[in-house]
Amino acid sequence: MVHNYNFYRSRVKPETGIVCMVKASGYGAGSFELAKTLQSQGAAYLAVAVLDEGVDLRKAGIAMPIMVLNPKVVNYKTLFTYRLEPEIYSFEILDEIIKEATKFGITNYPVHIKLDTGMHRLGFLEEDMPKLVEKLKNQNVIRPCSVFSHLATADCLDMDDYTNRQFEYFYRCCEILQSGFEEHIKRHILNSTGITRFPQHQCDMVRLGICLYGIPTVNDGSQDELRPVSSLHSVIISIKEWSAGTTIGYSRKGVLTRNSRIATIPIGYADGIDRHLGNGNAFVLVNGHRCPTVGNICMDICMIDVTDV
């Protein structure tokens, strides 16, 4: 992960902060372990999906700034106590957090304003900006620390026109928001793919998600240096030789088209190997060779073709 972080660190300006996504338990890799490393690497922010993830990181000793990207239905006392900075994506959330912060005597609490520039998922629209500025200026319990949006088509090489329209929309909204405040409001819109494809739009921060974990999003060569953070290892518990025409597994779905050597592995859908990955829809590596699945995935077992190993 440090390699992947530094790969991206070298592609942004020294003054550009990196927001690192550690939501969903660090994409399944373990949020605390990764957060501790990212903190020592100098990441600007961590981002989690829900309040509890941020609380767990604080309890584990993570002191750096943490964004909560989906703060709906939260215990605001806990949010404030653990210094977790929420995303504000609607007037409902805005009014709620102002009310709760006032109740607890909070002032100048940092929040992050989410804009919908084309993802059409969450966020304020351009026509909302004058009202948003007015509401923010007429109180002193929260302050807009950053304004951001999310690219919908950064990894679609044939849809750059749409991405460029998102950038234009974003900057227009940012200008309206910033006009209401003297203090600079940080801007960020680039995701993992955007960092490599649209470096001219780095703004004040960028957000590094799936590529931090070594999973490339485009095949244009720009992410070939990434290294996978997580891998799953098992063992072979049986190998048998079967002749062409033999069927393997439930419902006789695995039909051998040649004389084959079939190995059995003690891992199945109970361990997260989705049933859709059977019948050659996935492979495992055995001594560096790709070995496709054969037949349906069982609950705690699956079969693979090791004939060519």
Side-chain angles (χ1 to χ4, degrees), residues 1 19-35 38 46-49 53 57 69 121 150 191-193 207-217 228-231:
M1 190 199 62
V19 181
C20 293
M21 301 291 155
V22 293
K23 55 187 178 178
S25 188
Y27 289 59
S31 57
F32 166 64
E33 295 85 347
L34 302 185
L38 291 165
L46 298 176
V48 297
E53 293 177 326
L57 290 178
L69 298 179
R121 192 169 61 178
H150 196 50
N191 54 11
S192 294
T193 316
R207 297 189 309 278
L208 184 53
I210 193 169
C211 288
L212 179 63
Y213 299 88
I215 301 171
T217 55
V229 166
S230 300
S231 58

Side-chain angles (χ1 to χ4, degrees), residues 67-78:
M67 291 183 195
V68 181
L69 298 179
N70 188 2
K72 182 65 177 170
V73 191
V74 299
N75 180 330
Y76 281 99
K77 182 178 181 181
T78 300

Side-chain angles (χ1 to χ4, degrees), residues 121-134:
R121 192 169 61 178
L122 293 172
F124 293 99
L125 302 174
E126 186 172 8
E127 53 263 36
D128 297 326
M129 300 311 291
K131 178 181 176 183
L132 176 61
V133 171
E134 182 182 4

Side-chain angles (χ1 to χ4, degrees), residues 238 242 247-250 254 261-268 277-280 282-284 291-298 300-306:
S238 173
W242 299 108
T247 58
I248 306 295
Y250 282 119
R261 183 180 300 117
I262 303 300
T264 300
I265 300 173
I267 189 168
L277 298 178
N279 299 300
F283 65 86
V284 303
C291 299
T293 56
V294 180
N296 287 336
I297 303 293
C298 309
D300 54 359
I301 276 176
C302 66
M303 286 70 76
I304 59 171
D305 188 337
V306 295

Side-chain angles (χ1 to χ4, degrees), residues 233-249:
H233 297 256
S234 186
V235 295
I236 289 173
I237 58 172
S238 173
I239 299 176
K240 287 203 169 72
E241 307 275 353
W242 299 108
S243 58
T246 302
T247 58
I248 306 295

